Amino acid sequence: MTHSAIGVIAFVAIFGGALLGIFAARALPEHHLSDETCTAVSVSVAIVGTLSALVIGLMISTASSSFSARSREVTEISVDLIRMERLLQRYGPEADDARAKLRIYAAAKTQELFPAAGEPSRTDEATAGMLETMQDAILSLAPTDEMHRWLRSQALTLSDGLSHARWLLVQQAGSSIPLPFLILLIFWLTIVFASIGLFAPRNSTAIAALCLCSIAVSGGITMILELDSPFSGLIRISDEPMRHALAQITH
């Protein structure tokens, strides 16, 4: 289910709760809407509203941490690519085959993470195979002195770092916000808006205000989910580090 669809569902549930409260007030006996009842409902809703605010804060923190971690991993991949290119360049002509495979891998990985329109998409399995082919090319190098042995060792270490970052991105591909948690939050917000609608005046201004607030809350939930999916949607990780690394390697 897309984040926009979840946002629409959240809006329907929250604003529907507000409308339910407004129309329920007409059917309830007058003494059910007394000041004492209003006070009791307000205190109860304040508790649920506080819990909802805490959960939203936790969701924002979780999504932000996930976004930052993935952005950091992309930056680490781009830095390792540039460092590997420099090491293999220093190694000499013997490493030209490994450098060529490094360029192919860098272009494929960039296309996998940040697909450009009109270009064929790459799968994680395909780029993983390219990484292993590049590692094989580095392993096939035969160092003749201490400097070449060091350069080969450092290049292999960096290639292992690329593999590590790749698996981290694969393992973090899912959402960090559990679906039951999200359903519970929407249920709480529906209760809050239904309670507000129960004692709201029955006029177009109040209904419009409740509608706009429902849009704002459901839109906030959608943006949190977008933040938790940094490689797609409206909020994305910048592709500048990978593009810059690719330009450096192919220069």
Side-chain angles (χ1 to χ4, degrees), residues 26-80:
R26 295 182 177 182
L28 290 174
E30 190 65 29
H31 66 275
H32 282 217
L33 303 175
S34 63
D35 292 340
E36 292 80 2
T37 302
C38 180
T39 301
V41 171
S42 298
V43 172
S44 302
V45 169
I47 297 173
V48 177
T50 302
L51 286 174
S52 301
L54 291 173
V55 169
I56 291 175
L58 179 61
M59 287 174 58
I60 292 174
S61 176
T62 301
S64 178
S65 297
S66 176
F67 184 92
S68 299
R70 296 175 190 178
S71 178
R72 184 168 55 252
E73 286 153 13
V74 169
T75 302
E76 289 175 359
I77 289 175
S78 65
V79 171
D80 287 347

Side-chain angles (χ1 to χ4, degrees), residues 27-185:
L28 290 174
E30 190 65 29
H31 66 275
H32 282 217
L33 303 175
S34 63
D35 292 340
E36 292 80 2
T37 302
C38 180
T39 301
V41 171
S42 298
V43 172
S44 302
V45 169
I47 297 173
V48 177
T50 302
L51 286 174
S52 301
L54 291 173
V55 169
I56 291 175
L58 179 61
M59 287 174 58
I60 292 174
S61 176
T62 301
S64 178
S65 297
S66 176
F67 184 92
S68 299
R70 296 175 190 178
S71 178
R72 184 168 55 252
E73 286 153 13
V74 169
T75 302
E76 289 175 359
I77 289 175
S78 65
V79 171
D80 287 347
L81 288 172
I82 296 174
R83 291 180 62 194
M84 284 189 67
E85 166 62 20
R86 298 294 297 175
L87 289 170
L88 295 174
Q89 186 179 26
R90 290 176 60 190
Y91 194 95
E94 300 90 338
D96 285 348
D97 181 57
R99 290 178 64 192
K101 289 180 170 60
L102 176 64
R103 296 189 191 100
I104 294 173
Y105 170 75
K109 192 65 179 178
T110 302
Q111 179 63 14
E112 175 200 337
L113 296 176
F114 307 101
E119 295 184 11
S121 59
R122 298 284 186 174
T123 63
D124 177 69
E125 292 78 7
T127 55
M130 294 176 186
L131 176 59
E132 292 169 355
T133 301
M134 180 190 64
Q135 288 175 327
D136 292 340
I138 298 173
L139 284 169
S140 66
L141 295 174
T144 56
D145 53 35
E146 191 62 32
M147 185 185 76
H148 284 88
R149 280 191 288 271
W150 180 81
L151 291 172
R152 178 177 177 272
S153 173
Q154 291 298 307
L156 287 172
T157 300
L158 289 175
S159 70
D160 185 65
L162 289 174
S163 179
H164 178 73
R166 174 247 175 184
W167 279 112
L168 281 177
L169 289 175
V170 170
Q171 293 298 324
Q172 295 171 351
S175 175
S176 61
I177 300 175
L179 182 60
F181 212 56
L182 185 62
I183 294 174
L184 183 61
L185 173 63

